[in-house]
Amino acid sequence: MGRRSWRFAILYTVLVLIFEGPAQCRADPIDPSSRSVGGESGFEHIMSLYRVWESIYGLHADSLLPPANVSLPPNVPPAPHLEECVARTAFRQAAEQRGANGESPEWARPPHCCGCNPQPPWVRGADDENLAMTRVAQRDIWENQFPAEHNCAGRRLLAVHWAPQNRHGVGSQVHVMGAFLSVAMQHNRTLVVVPGTYGRAEEPGCKAAGQYGEWECFFFPFAAESCQQVVREAKANNTLICSNKSAREEAESADTVACIGYMPYREIEMQADIAWRWGAPHLGQPDAVWHAPGTESHKGHMMQVHWWRAQAVRFMLRWPSAYLCHVTNRVRHTSYGHRVAARLARFDSTRAEILREMAGDTAGEAARSNIKMSSQAAAAAALPFTQGSFKQAHGLFPWAHGACSREECGKEGPKRVGYLKELFEGVGAEPYVIRPIVSLHVRQSDKVEEMQLMPLSSYIFYLNQLRLIAPDLTLVWLNTESQVVIDSIAKYKDWIFVYSKNSRQVASNNDTRNYDNTQSVAISFASVLISAQSDYFIGTLGSNWSRLMNELRSTSGRLFYPFIAMNDGDW
């Protein structure tokens, strides 16, 4: 039995227990906030560390952009759940730069003698822990969107507008853009978004970052700057004329810059045709999504659609902007930063020293050095390149695939190991999340027009069932647009719910497509990025937002992490 097969068999057995096992599971309520280290003074020290991190990383509510530098005092341990946004963003941008003569980055150029997969740094986990051909597809999409032609000269472009937000939610807009990307690639064009058309990027932080009305306010750009400049100049010169033709008809035209304003639903369904470009990787792909009883599971063509959407979403959301990184830091910190501080303080080897440091004790310099070294070692241990499965499945040891001999790769292998180690150290490991944790997406309000809504109690039922396989599971990352749901969770005392601290809808019929408040879109994106790091997932695949979580899950090394679907949809 192959590696993928036995993993799938284990997952099947586990989820049969969930769906067919006993409905109730006893669990002792846990309230970590009631625990303290050393009594009241211990709690005060933990909160002191929390506030120090908040200050150093600039996480106060009135701070729109991240600090240029994050400098930790010698007596303060690193914050494992936070990122140094400016430095990380700069390194990630540099990792996507072509050479002086248009050469692809090293990660996109596998060793010629070994035939190993490319290594896009935004894809984590082993190859068989992601949808089939994910790394190759990500490299090919990047090559299409960041062409080698100097100044995008001679490159055919497909300029598009974002789908109107009065008809599409945030997740739906992303999926429509993925359909545009499919059309562009099928017709050998680079997809470029018409500048200033992303109406959701109108937060104060977007304006402060100089990305008002642009997707780049939240994530890295779709296309090379030189290609964007071509469309920008055409728009400024009033020569960018968008057609009412279908996307495919316009893409087939002889125009160097073809422009379409909107894609109807019937054409969106054709997006998955591009999957055949990679040999139909969706065929035979294990379905890691498990459907609640009575929920229809869409197969066939929708498996093909899911594969392509996952690739498009992974590329479009590959890296957060410095601004979104900063907002995500704030969401992480306000949601569970105090718990991280408490866990650091509880380690027996470091607890007493941390408490003394936070109390102002200047003694024990050697112990402080050991604290910092152990924290750095712990962070290094979480980096993908240190994991055995990564080494073997991602080309660090390419002879393990049988594509070439150890001797043939002897010259190129060590150089590649050094490059990839530096690359993944620079882009950074995933920020720390308290585990085990389950992502719970409860969709309510206006979605009643499109799908059956489930009460919160139905979600709690499956949370309780998960405890059959994870008895220590108590932490829930809650995604919901409804304040009614937030107000209802207090009665479920066996679970610890953490969520973003922002305003939500208070009425059941509010329309999320037009609902907005300061930083609401950035906080929503931050929440889905945090969800993608979970160990278990419960959601509603009739919602595009849950689909985003599922697509990120299946292309980030979590393909076999259970996703329980409360309902389904075929859009």
Side-chain angles (χ1 to χ4, degrees):
M1 183 181 292
R3 186 178 180 185
R4 187 183 295 268
S5 300
W6 66 256
R7 285 190 177 187
F8 185 67
I10 292 175
L11 182 62
Y12 177 82
T13 303
V14 163
L15 286 167
V16 166
L17 286 174
I18 292 176
F19 288 123
E20 298 183 0
Q24 300 297 328
C25 179
R26 182 181 179 277
D28 295 328
I30 299 176
D31 182 11
S33 63
S34 65
R35 302 172 179 171
S36 63
V37 180
E40 183 179 356
S41 61
F43 177 77
E44 292 174 353
H45 291 317
I46 289 170
M47 294 311 296
S48 294
L49 178 56
Y50 174 90
R51 287 189 288 270
V52 167
W53 283 342
E54 182 179 58
S55 176
I56 292 174
Y57 286 86
L59 301 180
H60 299 291
D62 57 351
S63 174
L64 293 178
L65 298 177
N69 295 295
V70 174
S71 179
L72 289 167
N75 63 336
V76 176
H81 62 301
L82 304 178
E83 289 191 289
E84 297 183 26
C85 294
V86 173
R88 291 293 188 213
T89 301
F91 190 96
R92 291 162 179 170
Q93 289 172 337
E96 293 195 22
Q97 295 300 312
R98 287 186 175 272
N101 297 319
E103 305 96 340
S104 298
E106 180 68 26
W107 57 262
R109 294 182 283 129
H112 296 293
C113 74
C114 303
C116 306
N117 281 342
Q119 300 300 316
W122 54 87
V123 180
R124 303 181 187 274
D127 284 348
D128 63 354
E129 294 169 337
N130 292 284
L131 290 174
M133 298 296 288
T134 288
R135 282 186 164 82
V136 176
Q138 292 299 304
R139 188 272 314 275
D140 293 346
I141 295 172
W142 187 89
E143 293 279 7
N144 183 82
Q145 292 300 109
F146 292 83
E149 289 88 348
H150 181 66
N151 292 329
C152 211
R155 181 67 181 169
R156 300 169 71 232
L157 308 179
L158 180 64
V160 301
H161 290 76
W162 282 93
Q165 66 186 61
N166 62 338
R167 296 178 60 185
H168 294 264
V170 180
S172 177
Q173 284 183 305
V174 172
H175 285 137
V176 172
M177 193 57 66
F180 281 131
L181 179 59
S182 171
V183 172
M185 292 189 66
Q186 290 183 69
H187 294 85
N188 195 29
R189 290 181 180 269
T190 294
L191 177 71
V192 180
V193 179
V194 177
T197 61
Y198 192 54
R200 299 188 187 275
E202 297 180 350
E203 303 176 359
C206 294
K207 188 174 183 179
Q211 299 291 352
Y212 191 82
E214 305 290 350
W215 171 258
E216 288 78 5
C217 174
F218 304 118
F219 293 97
F220 273 34
F222 285 174
E225 173 59 29
S226 57
C227 297
Q228 296 182 61
Q229 185 61 29
V230 172
V231 175
R232 199 175 292 120
E233 292 175 355
K235 182 181 179 182
N237 298 331
N238 295 321
T239 59
L240 185 67
I241 302 175
C242 295
S243 169
N244 291 324
K245 297 179 181 178
S246 71
R248 293 176 182 272
E249 287 178 330
E250 188 62 27
E252 291 169 355
S253 70
D255 297 337
T256 302
V257 180
C259 182
I260 51 179
Y262 184 62
M263 179 181 288
Y265 285 108
R266 65 179 181 277
E267 289 193 22
I268 295 175
E269 286 300 323
M270 301 171 67
Q271 65 182 291
D273 293 349
I274 195 174
W276 295 96
R277 176 173 179 160
W278 291 276
H282 60 285
L283 296 180
Q285 178 72 57
D287 186 1
V289 177
W290 292 81
H291 301 263
T295 300
E296 181 181 1
S297 174
H298 289 75
K299 303 291 185 181
H301 178 68
M302 290 310 298
M303 291 297 293
Q304 188 176 348
V305 171
H306 167 67
W307 183 89
W308 168 248
R309 279 182 175 172
Q311 302 305 327
V313 166
R314 170 54 59 191
F315 176 75
M316 290 187 286
L317 277 63
R318 63 192 185 280
W319 298 125
S321 65
Y323 167 62
L324 181 59
C325 173
H326 184 59
V327 173
T328 306
N329 272 354
R330 183 183 293 120
V331 172
R332 292 180 189 276
H333 197 59
T334 57
S335 300
Y336 54 83
H338 63 290
R339 300 180 188 276
V340 176
R343 287 201 169 195
L344 273 180
R346 288 189 193 115
F347 283 111
D348 291 338
S349 60
T350 62
R351 175 174 60 190
E353 182 61 29
I354 289 178
L355 293 180
R356 284 196 298 271
E357 289 170 354
M358 298 311 297
D361 182 12
T362 58
E365 188 64 35
R368 282 193 289 273
S369 298
N370 290 334
I371 292 171
K372 292 197 69 175
M373 289 179 63
S374 62
S375 299
Q376 292 165 355
L383 291 175
F385 67 81
T386 65
Q387 301 172 5
S389 61
F390 182 91
K391 293 176 181 177
Q392 191 167 19
H394 296 77
L396 283 169
F397 300 130
W399 51 82
H401 294 277
C404 60
S405 68
R406 184 186 296 263
E407 291 74 20
E408 289 174 318
C409 285
K411 295 181 179 180
E412 203 165 2
K415 178 182 177 182
R416 182 172 177 79
V417 169
Y419 166 77
L420 289 178
K421 181 175 180 179
E422 180 181 351
L423 175 67
F424 281 94
E425 282 180 336
V427 300
E430 290 182 332
Y432 172 75
V433 175
I434 298 176
R435 301 189 185 281
I437 186 170
V438 54
S439 168
L440 180 65
H441 178 222
V442 182
R443 184 71 164 93
Q444 299 292 322
S445 63
D446 62 296
K447 203 64 177 179
V448 68
E449 302 173 1
E450 302 176 18
M451 71 179 192
Q452 179 183 0
L453 300 183
M454 303 293 181
L456 180 59
S457 58
S458 296
Y459 295 88
I460 300 299
F461 170 84
Y462 286 106
L463 280 177
N464 290 331
Q465 298 297 78
L466 278 175
R467 279 208 173 126
L468 293 171
I469 58 172
D472 57 343
L473 181 62
T474 59
L475 196 61
V476 181
W477 177 254
L478 177 60
N479 259 287
T480 184
E481 81 289 352
S482 172
Q483 186 60 41
V484 176
V485 172
I486 297 297
D487 294 339
S488 302
I489 61 177
K491 61 183 178 182
Y492 299 104
K493 306 208 179 280
D494 287 355
W495 295 95
I496 302 167
F497 294 89
V498 289
Y499 46 87
S500 60
K501 306 300 189 291
N502 60 294
S503 62
R504 289 175 167 82
Q505 299 173 19
V506 295
S508 60
N509 59 350
N510 285 348
D511 193 336
T512 59
R513 291 170 294 189
N514 296 315
Y515 176 76
D516 199 5
N517 68 325
T518 302
Q519 290 192 332
S520 67
V521 178
I523 291 175
S524 296
F525 276 131
S527 295
V528 79
L529 293 180
I530 296 172
S531 290
Q533 288 186 249
S534 299
D535 303 297
Y536 306 93
F537 301 81
I538 300 177
T540 55
L541 292 183
S543 163
N544 280 286
W545 204 242
S546 273
R547 291 174 191 163
L548 282 182
M549 299 174 194
N550 184 39
E551 289 149 4
L552 291 175
R553 174 194 65 87
S554 58
T555 54
S556 62
R558 291 176 169 84
L559 179 61
F560 291 99
Y561 286 38
F563 190 112
I564 299 176
M566 303 296 293
N567 65 13
D568 208 339
D570 59 359
W571 186 83

